[in-house]
Amino acid sequence: MAGRGVPPKTNAVRRNKHMEAPLTGAGSSIVPELPNAHRYLPAVREWWETWRLSAQAEQFLPTDVQRLRMLVLLVQRIYEMEGADLKAYAELRQQESLLGGTVLDRQRLRMKVKKEEQSTGDDVLDDLIG
């Protein structure tokens, strides 16, 4: 007697499948260039560009852009104080988490970035064989 329990059905269908938010990784058209970019440190401008061009930015609404505008001030403060304000770090981590900042956050939000499939050549061979 192999295995435990009842064997699975051959045609099992999962009825409680969760919806996913597919992301192409193209960035967002709603997130603008950083306003008054010359006022910010280079690391802060890089932070803004990273979020602006991120895959999860495709899902952003105007309220999310407002959140980024508030957070850019916090990021500037962190860099100006050279990381001395631990409460600012904690707040930034929490706010970025709500926007899908880490792999685990994106999994929790059911965001899935479509990766470009790289051909191994097998698909071309299959097309030729028929």
Side-chain angles (χ1 to χ4, degrees):
M1 188 168 147
R4 290 185 176 170
V6 180
K9 296 180 183 178
T10 57
N11 62 348
V13 176
R14 185 174 177 153
R15 288 181 173 77
N16 60 347
K17 187 173 182 179
H18 298 291
M19 297 293 291
E20 290 182 345
L23 306 172
T24 62
S28 172
S29 60
I30 194 171
V31 181
E33 296 278 333
L34 181 60
N36 300 316
H38 63 279
R39 294 182 181 178
Y40 298 99
L41 296 169
V44 178
R45 292 192 297 260
E46 182 181 346
W47 176 88
W48 180 272
E49 283 302 302
T50 300
W51 275 100
R52 189 173 78 82
L53 301 174
S54 68
Q56 57 269 40
E58 294 174 29
Q59 299 278 320
F60 284 2
L61 298 173
T63 53
D64 300 314
V65 176
Q66 285 298 110
R67 180 175 297 230
L68 281 180
R69 286 185 177 146
M70 289 186 295
L71 287 178
V72 76
L73 301 173
L74 186 61
V75 173
Q76 177 79 6
R77 178 179 173 189
I78 288 171
Y79 279 108
E80 286 175 346
M81 297 182 71
E82 297 179 359
D85 190 355
L86 294 179
K87 288 183 180 180
Y89 267 117
E91 182 65 21
L92 180 62
R93 181 205 52 81
Q94 185 176 27
Q95 294 298 320
E96 285 183 340
S97 174
L98 295 172
L99 294 169
T102 67
V103 173
L104 291 175
D105 297 330
R106 288 187 292 279
Q107 288 174 347
R108 179 180 48 81
L109 295 168
R110 293 185 174 86
M111 293 179 169
K112 190 166 193 166
V113 180
K114 292 181 183 178
K115 295 181 180 176
E116 291 184 27
E117 295 180 24
Q118 293 193 358
S119 174
T120 59
D122 293 340
D123 54 344
V124 175
L125 186 58
D126 288 343
D127 289 342
L128 289 174
I129 294 173

